[in-house]
Amino acid sequence: MVIPCFNAAPTLPMQLEELFTQEDAPSFEIIVADNRSTDDLDAVIAVAVPPPGVQVRFVRADAIAGAGYARNVAMAAARADRLMFCDADDVVSRWWVAHGIQAFRDAEVWSGSCHPAPDAAFDGGVDAVRALIDDSPDWLPSVREQEGTAFPILMGGDFGATAEALRRIGGFDVTIPAGGEDNDFAVRAVRAGYPAVSCKVARIAYRQRREPRARAREAVRAARTHALLANRFGLWDRSHFRNWPSALARTGAAAGRMALRPRAEQDWWAVGTRAAVAAAVGFDPRSARFIRAQYVSLAHALGRDRDLDARVLPVLWELAIRARATGVPWWETVRMTWRARRGAPTMKAWGYRTALALIPRR
């Protein structure tokens, strides 16, 4: 069991309690991967008392910030041939391990089900959360409800994979914007021959963000990841956001309808989030011509052939989306991309060299 952690000392004890009280589960190991925590996470692990048959191991994953990197470090440290993943601020069901083990009979990679709950629901303790998610030992066969989906969904906080599948897929891409690494993993898993399988009975209670600002940030990050994946894997023609101008127009119409509602029913954060999502997804096609012009200018200045390498422009477009997701200005993206390809030893170029290396050769 892999649990990536960042400042999870307040929430990890409840998740550990749930894992310590699993029913019908075989012996297993819990790997807690600390990703740059500044709280007393070490103390939480030190006082944890696992039952017989359960071991807790603590590993540090400090080199790169992000849950994806922490999961990769834990994968490398794991000794088992089947791994299950959960998050430190959620709560798994009483039969989560048992159901996950059974799901491995149907698939080498599977994703569980998520039941959103407000923070207040977790104040009642493990038993209250179990009742909330309708916890049950009953087994239901796994399903392939995402068959043929261009953008399959896998929940990084509730899934399982064999060690061999993780090696073949390549783990998590640590350069993907936060919160989107699991969707990138899902696309690569399907392309590697592992269908998107859902195990509905592998349930977790998920802490749902209630603040409008936090929900808006999550939606925008998801939109940018969608654009990144559509560009990387050539999926724009199958994206439901491919006509982003019409999405913006529909957002304007939604704003007009919202203005006609009574003030108590108005939700302008929802309208703003919808507009931000459409704009974020539309960044890639809008910026393509501009990025191409910048590259042509650089190529001409360097005396290179103006017939561009077929792999160069997709790389630049991907980096442009990464720049939007990380806050790097577009001109810095273009300049650092050029310096990275020339091998210039700058502090920032290493990240772009890494991104270039991740682009599959065609």
Short mmCIF file of all heavy atoms in Angstrom, two decimals, residues 131-193:
data_model
loop_
_atom_site.label_atom_id
_atom_site.label_comp_id
_atom_site.label_asym_id
_atom_site.label_seq_id
_atom_site.Cartn_x
_atom_site.Cartn_y
_atom_site.Cartn_z
N ALA A 131 -19.86 4.37 7.25
CA ALA A 131 -21.30 4.39 7.00
C ALA A 131 -21.64 5.32 5.83
O ALA A 131 -22.55 5.05 5.05
CB ALA A 131 -22.03 4.83 8.26
N LEU A 132 -20.87 6.40 5.71
CA LEU A 132 -21.13 7.39 4.67
C LEU A 132 -20.93 6.80 3.28
O LEU A 132 -21.67 7.12 2.34
CB LEU A 132 -20.21 8.60 4.87
CG LEU A 132 -20.37 9.75 3.89
CD1 LEU A 132 -21.70 10.45 4.10
CD2 LEU A 132 -19.22 10.76 4.06
N ILE A 133 -19.93 5.92 3.12
CA ILE A 133 -19.64 5.38 1.80
C ILE A 133 -20.32 4.04 1.56
O ILE A 133 -19.99 3.33 0.60
CB ILE A 133 -18.12 5.25 1.58
CG1 ILE A 133 -17.49 4.26 2.58
CG2 ILE A 133 -17.44 6.60 1.68
CD1 ILE A 133 -16.01 4.03 2.36
N ASP A 134 -21.27 3.68 2.44
CA ASP A 134 -22.03 2.44 2.27
C ASP A 134 -21.10 1.23 2.19
O ASP A 134 -21.18 0.41 1.28
CB ASP A 134 -22.91 2.53 1.01
CG ASP A 134 -23.96 1.43 0.96
OD1 ASP A 134 -24.31 0.91 2.04
OD2 ASP A 134 -24.41 1.10 -0.15
N ASP A 135 -20.20 1.15 3.17
CA ASP A 135 -19.18 0.10 3.19
C ASP A 135 -19.84 -1.28 3.29
O ASP A 135 -20.78 -1.49 4.05
CB ASP A 135 -18.27 0.32 4.40
CG ASP A 135 -16.88 -0.23 4.15
OD1 ASP A 135 -16.68 -0.84 3.08
OD2 ASP A 135 -16.01 -0.04 5.01
N SER A 136 -19.34 -2.21 2.49
CA SER A 136 -19.94 -3.54 2.46
C SER A 136 -18.91 -4.56 1.99
O SER A 136 -18.06 -4.25 1.15
CB SER A 136 -21.15 -3.55 1.50
OG SER A 136 -21.59 -4.86 1.25
N PRO A 137 -19.00 -5.82 2.49
CA PRO A 137 -18.08 -6.86 2.01
C PRO A 137 -18.51 -7.47 0.69
O PRO A 137 -17.76 -8.27 0.11
CB PRO A 137 -18.15 -7.90 3.13
CG PRO A 137 -19.53 -7.76 3.69
CD PRO A 137 -19.85 -6.29 3.59
N ASP A 138 -19.68 -7.11 0.20
CA ASP A 138 -20.20 -7.71 -1.03
C ASP A 138 -19.30 -7.36 -2.21
O ASP A 138 -18.85 -6.21 -2.36
CB ASP A 138 -21.62 -7.22 -1.30
CG ASP A 138 -22.59 -7.68 -0.23
OD1 ASP A 138 -22.29 -8.67 0.47
OD2 ASP A 138 -23.64 -7.02 -0.08
N TRP A 139 -19.05 -8.33 -3.05
CA TRP A 139 -18.19 -8.15 -4.22
C TRP A 139 -19.02 -7.94 -5.48
O TRP A 139 -20.05 -8.59 -5.68
CB TRP A 139 -17.29 -9.36 -4.40
CG TRP A 139 -16.58 -9.39 -5.73
CD1 TRP A 139 -16.86 -10.19 -6.80
CD2 TRP A 139 -15.48 -8.55 -6.13
NE1 TRP A 139 -16.00 -9.91 -7.84
CE2 TRP A 139 -15.15 -8.91 -7.47
CE3 TRP A 139 -14.76 -7.54 -5.50
CZ2 TRP A 139 -14.12 -8.29 -8.17
CZ3 TRP A 139 -13.72 -6.92 -6.20
CH2 TRP A 139 -13.42 -7.30 -7.51
N LEU A 140 -18.58 -7.02 -6.31
CA LEU A 140 -19.18 -6.80 -7.62
C LEU A 140 -18.07 -6.91 -8.67
O LEU A 140 -16.98 -6.37 -8.46
CB LEU A 140 -19.83 -5.41 -7.72
CG LEU A 140 -21.05 -5.16 -6.84
CD1 LEU A 140 -21.49 -3.70 -6.96
CD2 LEU A 140 -22.19 -6.09 -7.23
N PRO A 141 -18.30 -7.61 -9.75
CA PRO A 141 -17.25 -7.75 -10.77
C PRO A 141 -16.80 -6.40 -11.31
O PRO A 141 -17.60 -5.46 -11.43
CB PRO A 141 -17.93 -8.59 -11.87
CG PRO A 141 -19.06 -9.28 -11.18
CD PRO A 141 -19.52 -8.35 -10.11
N SER A 142 -15.53 -6.31 -11.65
CA SER A 142 -15.00 -5.09 -12.25
C SER A 142 -15.60 -4.89 -13.64
O SER A 142 -16.01 -5.84 -14.31
CB SER A 142 -13.47 -5.16 -12.35
OG SER A 142 -12.90 -5.33 -11.07
N VAL A 143 -15.66 -3.62 -14.06
CA VAL A 143 -16.28 -3.30 -15.35
C VAL A 143 -15.32 -2.45 -16.18
O VAL A 143 -14.41 -1.80 -15.65
CB VAL A 143 -17.61 -2.53 -15.16
CG1 VAL A 143 -18.63 -3.40 -14.48
CG2 VAL A 143 -17.38 -1.25 -14.36
N ARG A 144 -15.54 -2.49 -17.49
CA ARG A 144 -14.74 -1.68 -18.43
C ARG A 144 -15.65 -0.61 -19.04
O ARG A 144 -15.90 -0.61 -20.24
CB ARG A 144 -14.12 -2.56 -19.51
CG ARG A 144 -13.16 -3.61 -18.97
CD ARG A 144 -12.44 -4.33 -20.10
NE ARG A 144 -11.51 -5.32 -19.58
CZ ARG A 144 -10.66 -6.04 -20.34
NH1 ARG A 144 -10.66 -5.84 -21.65
NH2 ARG A 144 -9.88 -6.93 -19.78
N GLU A 145 -16.12 0.29 -18.21
CA GLU A 145 -17.09 1.28 -18.65
C GLU A 145 -16.44 2.41 -19.46
O GLU A 145 -17.14 3.23 -20.04
CB GLU A 145 -17.82 1.88 -17.44
CG GLU A 145 -16.89 2.53 -16.44
CD GLU A 145 -17.62 2.94 -15.16
OE1 GLU A 145 -18.84 2.71 -15.11
OE2 GLU A 145 -16.96 3.47 -14.26
N GLN A 146 -15.10 2.46 -19.50
CA GLN A 146 -14.42 3.50 -20.26
C GLN A 146 -13.84 2.96 -21.57
O GLN A 146 -12.94 3.56 -22.14
CB GLN A 146 -13.31 4.13 -19.43
CG GLN A 146 -13.76 4.78 -18.15
CD GLN A 146 -12.64 5.51 -17.44
OE1 GLN A 146 -12.14 6.53 -17.91
NE2 GLN A 146 -12.23 4.98 -16.30
N GLU A 147 -14.33 1.83 -22.03
CA GLU A 147 -13.84 1.22 -23.26
C GLU A 147 -13.97 2.20 -24.41
O GLU A 147 -15.04 2.75 -24.67
CB GLU A 147 -14.65 -0.04 -23.56
CG GLU A 147 -13.97 -0.98 -24.54
CD GLU A 147 -12.93 -1.85 -23.87
OE1 GLU A 147 -13.21 -2.43 -22.82
OE2 GLU A 147 -11.82 -1.94 -24.42
N GLY A 148 -12.87 2.45 -25.12
CA GLY A 148 -12.88 3.35 -26.26
C GLY A 148 -12.79 4.82 -25.91
O GLY A 148 -12.79 5.67 -26.80
N THR A 149 -12.68 5.15 -24.62
CA THR A 149 -12.57 6.56 -24.21
C THR A 149 -11.18 7.10 -24.53
O THR A 149 -10.17 6.46 -24.22
CB THR A 149 -12.84 6.69 -22.70
OG1 THR A 149 -14.13 6.17 -22.41
CG2 THR A 149 -12.79 8.15 -22.27
N ALA A 150 -11.13 8.27 -25.16
CA ALA A 150 -9.84 8.85 -25.51
C ALA A 150 -9.09 9.37 -24.30
O ALA A 150 -7.86 9.36 -24.25
CB ALA A 150 -10.03 9.99 -26.53
N PHE A 151 -9.84 9.85 -23.30
CA PHE A 151 -9.24 10.41 -22.09
C PHE A 151 -9.71 9.59 -20.88
O PHE A 151 -10.57 10.04 -20.12
CB PHE A 151 -9.64 11.88 -21.93
CG PHE A 151 -9.14 12.78 -23.02
CD1 PHE A 151 -9.89 12.97 -24.18
CD2 PHE A 151 -7.92 13.42 -22.91
CE1 PHE A 151 -9.43 13.79 -25.19
CE2 PHE A 151 -7.46 14.25 -23.92
CZ PHE A 151 -8.21 14.43 -25.07
N PRO A 152 -9.17 8.40 -20.69
CA PRO A 152 -9.60 7.57 -19.55
C PRO A 152 -9.22 8.22 -18.23
O PRO A 152 -8.26 8.99 -18.13
CB PRO A 152 -8.82 6.26 -19.76
CG PRO A 152 -7.63 6.65 -20.56
CD PRO A 152 -8.09 7.76 -21.47
N ILE A 153 -10.01 7.90 -17.20
CA ILE A 153 -9.80 8.48 -15.87
C ILE A 153 -9.31 7.40 -14.92
O ILE A 153 -9.89 6.31 -14.85
CB ILE A 153 -11.10 9.11 -15.34
CG1 ILE A 153 -11.52 10.28 -16.24
CG2 ILE A 153 -10.93 9.58 -13.90
CD1 ILE A 153 -12.87 10.86 -15.87
N LEU A 154 -8.24 7.68 -14.24
CA LEU A 154 -7.73 6.81 -13.19
C LEU A 154 -7.51 7.67 -11.95
O LEU A 154 -6.92 8.75 -12.04
CB LEU A 154 -6.43 6.14 -13.62
CG LEU A 154 -5.73 5.25 -12.58
CD1 LEU A 154 -5.16 4.00 -13.24
CD2 LEU A 154 -4.60 6.01 -11.87
N MET A 155 -7.99 7.23 -10.80
CA MET A 155 -7.85 8.01 -9.57
C MET A 155 -6.54 7.65 -8.89
O MET A 155 -6.36 6.52 -8.41
CB MET A 155 -9.04 7.75 -8.65
CG MET A 155 -10.31 8.39 -9.15
SD MET A 155 -11.70 8.11 -8.05
CE MET A 155 -11.98 6.36 -8.30
N GLY A 156 -5.61 8.61 -8.87
CA GLY A 156 -4.31 8.36 -8.26
C GLY A 156 -4.40 8.00 -6.80
O GLY A 156 -3.50 7.35 -6.26
N GLY A 157 -5.49 8.39 -6.14
CA GLY A 157 -5.67 8.08 -4.73
C GLY A 157 -6.47 6.83 -4.46
O GLY A 157 -6.83 6.56 -3.30
N ASP A 158 -6.76 6.05 -5.50
CA ASP A 158 -7.53 4.81 -5.31
C ASP A 158 -7.38 3.94 -6.55
O ASP A 158 -8.27 3.88 -7.40
CB ASP A 158 -9.01 5.13 -5.06
CG ASP A 158 -9.84 3.87 -4.80
OD1 ASP A 158 -9.26 2.81 -4.58
OD2 ASP A 158 -11.09 3.99 -4.82
N PHE A 159 -6.24 3.28 -6.66
CA PHE A 159 -6.04 2.37 -7.79
C PHE A 159 -5.01 1.32 -7.42
O PHE A 159 -4.33 1.40 -6.39
CB PHE A 159 -5.62 3.14 -9.05
CG PHE A 159 -4.14 3.46 -9.15
CD1 PHE A 159 -3.30 2.69 -9.95
CD2 PHE A 159 -3.59 4.52 -8.46
CE1 PHE A 159 -1.95 2.98 -10.06
CE2 PHE A 159 -2.24 4.83 -8.56
CZ PHE A 159 -1.41 4.05 -9.36
N GLY A 160 -4.92 0.31 -8.27
CA GLY A 160 -3.96 -0.76 -8.07
C GLY A 160 -3.28 -1.11 -9.38
O GLY A 160 -3.86 -0.93 -10.46
N ALA A 161 -2.05 -1.59 -9.30
CA ALA A 161 -1.31 -2.00 -10.50
C ALA A 161 -0.24 -3.00 -10.09
O ALA A 161 0.32 -2.91 -8.99
CB ALA A 161 -0.68 -0.80 -11.20
N THR A 162 0.04 -3.94 -10.97
CA THR A 162 1.13 -4.87 -10.70
C THR A 162 2.46 -4.15 -10.92
O THR A 162 2.54 -3.15 -11.66
CB THR A 162 1.06 -6.09 -11.63
OG1 THR A 162 1.24 -5.66 -13.00
CG2 THR A 162 -0.28 -6.79 -11.49
N ALA A 163 3.50 -4.65 -10.29
CA ALA A 163 4.83 -4.04 -10.44
C ALA A 163 5.28 -4.10 -11.89
O ALA A 163 5.90 -3.15 -12.40
CB ALA A 163 5.83 -4.75 -9.53
N GLU A 164 4.98 -5.18 -12.58
CA GLU A 164 5.36 -5.31 -13.98
C GLU A 164 4.64 -4.28 -14.84
O GLU A 164 5.25 -3.66 -15.73
CB GLU A 164 5.05 -6.72 -14.48
CG GLU A 164 5.33 -6.95 -15.96
CD GLU A 164 6.79 -6.72 -16.33
OE1 GLU A 164 7.67 -6.88 -15.45
OE2 GLU A 164 7.05 -6.38 -17.50
N ALA A 165 3.35 -4.06 -14.59
CA ALA A 165 2.60 -3.05 -15.35
C ALA A 165 3.18 -1.66 -15.11
O ALA A 165 3.31 -0.86 -16.04
CB ALA A 165 1.13 -3.10 -14.97
N LEU A 166 3.51 -1.36 -13.87
CA LEU A 166 4.08 -0.05 -13.55
C LEU A 166 5.41 0.16 -14.27
O LEU A 166 5.71 1.27 -14.74
CB LEU A 166 4.27 0.08 -12.04
CG LEU A 166 2.99 0.18 -11.21
CD1 LEU A 166 3.29 0.02 -9.73
CD2 LEU A 166 2.26 1.50 -11.47
N ARG A 167 6.21 -0.88 -14.35
CA ARG A 167 7.48 -0.76 -15.07
C ARG A 167 7.24 -0.53 -16.56
O ARG A 167 7.92 0.30 -17.18
CB ARG A 167 8.33 -2.01 -14.85
CG ARG A 167 9.03 -2.06 -13.51
CD ARG A 167 10.05 -3.18 -13.47
NE ARG A 167 9.43 -4.49 -13.47
CZ ARG A 167 9.09 -5.16 -12.39
NH1 ARG A 167 9.31 -4.63 -11.18
NH2 ARG A 167 8.53 -6.36 -12.47
N ARG A 168 6.29 -1.25 -17.14
CA ARG A 168 6.02 -1.10 -18.57
C ARG A 168 5.42 0.27 -18.90
O ARG A 168 5.75 0.87 -19.92
CB ARG A 168 5.07 -2.21 -19.05
CG ARG A 168 5.72 -3.60 -19.12
CD ARG A 168 4.79 -4.57 -19.81
NE ARG A 168 4.43 -4.11 -21.15
CZ ARG A 168 3.43 -4.62 -21.87
NH1 ARG A 168 2.68 -5.59 -21.36
NH2 ARG A 168 3.17 -4.16 -23.07
N ILE A 169 4.54 0.74 -18.04
CA ILE A 169 3.91 2.05 -18.27
C ILE A 169 4.89 3.18 -18.02
O ILE A 169 4.86 4.22 -18.68
CB ILE A 169 2.66 2.20 -17.38
CG1 ILE A 169 1.62 1.13 -17.76
CG2 ILE A 169 2.04 3.59 -17.51
CD1 ILE A 169 0.50 0.99 -16.76
N GLY A 170 5.81 3.00 -17.07
CA GLY A 170 6.82 4.01 -16.81
C GLY A 170 6.55 4.86 -15.59
O GLY A 170 7.18 5.91 -15.42
N GLY A 171 5.63 4.44 -14.73
CA GLY A 171 5.36 5.23 -13.53
C GLY A 171 4.68 6.54 -13.87
O GLY A 171 4.06 6.71 -14.93
N PHE A 172 4.80 7.51 -12.96
CA PHE A 172 4.14 8.81 -13.12
C PHE A 172 5.12 9.84 -13.71
O PHE A 172 6.30 9.88 -13.34
CB PHE A 172 3.61 9.32 -11.78
CG PHE A 172 2.41 8.57 -11.30
CD1 PHE A 172 2.54 7.44 -10.51
CD2 PHE A 172 1.13 8.98 -11.63
CE1 PHE A 172 1.43 6.73 -10.07
CE2 PHE A 172 0.01 8.30 -11.20
CZ PHE A 172 0.17 7.16 -10.42
N ASP A 173 4.61 10.66 -14.62
CA ASP A 173 5.39 11.74 -15.22
C ASP A 173 5.43 12.91 -14.25
O ASP A 173 4.41 13.57 -14.01
CB ASP A 173 4.75 12.15 -16.54
CG ASP A 173 5.52 13.27 -17.25
OD1 ASP A 173 6.49 13.79 -16.67
OD2 ASP A 173 5.14 13.61 -18.39
N VAL A 174 6.59 13.20 -13.69
CA VAL A 174 6.69 14.23 -12.65
C VAL A 174 6.67 15.63 -13.23
O VAL A 174 6.65 16.61 -12.46
CB VAL A 174 7.97 14.02 -11.81
CG1 VAL A 174 7.95 12.67 -11.13
CG2 VAL A 174 9.22 14.16 -12.67
N THR A 175 6.67 15.77 -14.55
CA THR A 175 6.63 17.11 -15.15
C THR A 175 5.21 17.56 -15.45
O THR A 175 5.00 18.70 -15.88
CB THR A 175 7.45 17.14 -16.45
OG1 THR A 175 6.81 16.33 -17.44
CG2 THR A 175 8.87 16.65 -16.22
N ILE A 176 4.22 16.66 -15.27
CA ILE A 176 2.82 17.03 -15.50
C ILE A 176 2.37 17.96 -14.38
O ILE A 176 2.73 17.77 -13.22
CB ILE A 176 1.94 15.76 -15.52
CG1 ILE A 176 2.28 14.90 -16.74
CG2 ILE A 176 0.46 16.12 -15.54
CD1 ILE A 176 1.86 15.48 -18.06
N PRO A 177 1.56 19.00 -14.69
CA PRO A 177 1.04 19.88 -13.63
C PRO A 177 0.34 19.10 -12.53
O PRO A 177 -0.27 18.05 -12.77
CB PRO A 177 0.06 20.79 -14.39
CG PRO A 177 0.57 20.79 -15.80
CD PRO A 177 1.15 19.43 -16.03
N ALA A 178 0.43 19.60 -11.32
CA ALA A 178 -0.13 18.92 -10.15
C ALA A 178 -1.59 18.57 -10.36
O ALA A 178 -2.39 19.39 -10.82
CB ALA A 178 0.02 19.80 -8.92
N GLY A 179 -1.93 17.33 -10.01
CA GLY A 179 -3.31 16.88 -10.13
C GLY A 179 -3.65 16.24 -11.45
O GLY A 179 -4.73 15.65 -11.60
N GLY A 180 -2.75 16.30 -12.43
CA GLY A 180 -3.02 15.70 -13.73
C GLY A 180 -2.18 14.49 -14.05
O GLY A 180 -2.36 13.87 -15.10
N GLU A 181 -1.26 14.14 -13.13
CA GLU A 181 -0.36 13.03 -13.43
C GLU A 181 -1.09 11.69 -13.53
O GLU A 181 -0.66 10.79 -14.26
CB GLU A 181 0.75 12.94 -12.37
CG GLU A 181 0.31 12.51 -10.99
CD GLU A 181 -0.29 13.63 -10.16
OE1 GLU A 181 -0.21 14.80 -10.58
OE2 GLU A 181 -0.83 13.33 -9.07
N ASP A 182 -2.20 11.54 -12.83
CA ASP A 182 -2.93 10.27 -12.91
C ASP A 182 -3.64 10.11 -14.25
O ASP A 182 -3.75 8.99 -14.77
CB ASP A 182 -3.90 10.11 -11.74
CG ASP A 182 -4.73 11.35 -11.48
OD1 ASP A 182 -4.61 12.33 -12.25
OD2 ASP A 182 -5.51 11.36 -10.51
N ASN A 183 -4.13 11.21 -14.83
CA ASN A 183 -4.78 11.11 -16.14
C ASN A 183 -3.76 10.80 -17.24
O ASN A 183 -4.04 10.03 -18.16
CB ASN A 183 -5.51 12.41 -16.47
CG ASN A 183 -6.72 12.62 -15.58
OD1 ASN A 183 -7.32 11.67 -15.10
ND2 ASN A 183 -7.07 13.87 -15.33
N ASP A 184 -2.57 11.39 -17.13
CA ASP A 184 -1.50 11.05 -18.07
C ASP A 184 -1.13 9.57 -17.94
O ASP A 184 -0.94 8.87 -18.93
CB ASP A 184 -0.27 11.93 -17.80
CG ASP A 184 0.96 11.46 -18.55
OD1 ASP A 184 1.06 11.76 -19.75
OD2 ASP A 184 1.83 10.80 -17.93
N PHE A 185 -1.05 9.08 -16.71
CA PHE A 185 -0.75 7.68 -16.46
C PHE A 185 -1.82 6.79 -17.09
O PHE A 185 -1.51 5.75 -17.70
CB PHE A 185 -0.68 7.43 -14.95
CG PHE A 185 -0.38 6.00 -14.56
CD1 PHE A 185 0.92 5.58 -14.37
CD2 PHE A 185 -1.41 5.09 -14.38
CE1 PHE A 185 1.20 4.27 -14.02
CE2 PHE A 185 -1.14 3.78 -14.02
CZ PHE A 185 0.17 3.37 -13.84
N ALA A 186 -3.09 7.19 -16.98
CA ALA A 186 -4.19 6.38 -17.53
C ALA A 186 -4.09 6.27 -19.04
O ALA A 186 -4.29 5.19 -19.61
CB ALA A 186 -5.53 6.99 -17.12
N VAL A 187 -3.79 7.38 -19.71
CA VAL A 187 -3.67 7.34 -21.18
C VAL A 187 -2.52 6.42 -21.58
O VAL A 187 -2.65 5.59 -22.49
CB VAL A 187 -3.46 8.75 -21.74
CG1 VAL A 187 -3.20 8.70 -23.25
CG2 VAL A 187 -4.68 9.63 -21.47
N ARG A 188 -1.38 6.55 -20.91
CA ARG A 188 -0.23 5.71 -21.25
C ARG A 188 -0.50 4.24 -20.92
O ARG A 188 -0.02 3.34 -21.62
CB ARG A 188 1.02 6.21 -20.53
CG ARG A 188 1.56 7.52 -21.11
CD ARG A 188 2.89 7.92 -20.50
NE ARG A 188 2.74 8.39 -19.13
CZ ARG A 188 3.24 7.77 -18.07
NH1 ARG A 188 3.91 6.63 -18.22
NH2 ARG A 188 3.06 8.26 -16.87
N ALA A 189 -1.27 3.99 -19.86
CA ALA A 189 -1.60 2.61 -19.50
C ALA A 189 -2.43 1.96 -20.60
O ALA A 189 -2.17 0.81 -21.00
CB ALA A 189 -2.35 2.58 -18.18
N VAL A 190 -3.44 2.66 -21.08
CA VAL A 190 -4.29 2.11 -22.15
C VAL A 190 -3.45 1.87 -23.40
O VAL A 190 -3.58 0.83 -24.07
CB VAL A 190 -5.46 3.06 -22.44
CG1 VAL A 190 -6.21 2.63 -23.70
CG2 VAL A 190 -6.42 3.11 -21.25
N ARG A 191 -2.56 2.80 -23.72
CA ARG A 191 -1.72 2.64 -24.91
C ARG A 191 -0.70 1.51 -24.76
O ARG A 191 -0.22 0.98 -25.75
CB ARG A 191 -1.03 3.96 -25.23
CG ARG A 191 -2.02 5.03 -25.66
CD ARG A 191 -1.34 6.27 -26.20
NE ARG A 191 -2.34 7.13 -26.81
CZ ARG A 191 -2.12 7.83 -27.94
NH1 ARG A 191 -0.97 7.76 -28.55
NH2 ARG A 191 -3.08 8.59 -28.43
N ALA A 192 -0.38 1.17 -23.51
CA ALA A 192 0.55 0.07 -23.27
C ALA A 192 -0.17 -1.27 -23.23
O ALA A 192 0.47 -2.31 -23.01
CB ALA A 192 1.29 0.30 -21.96
N GLY A 193 -1.49 -1.26 -23.43
CA GLY A 193 -2.23 -2.51 -23.48
C GLY A 193 -2.99 -2.86 -22.22
O GLY A 193 -3.49 -3.99 -22.09
#
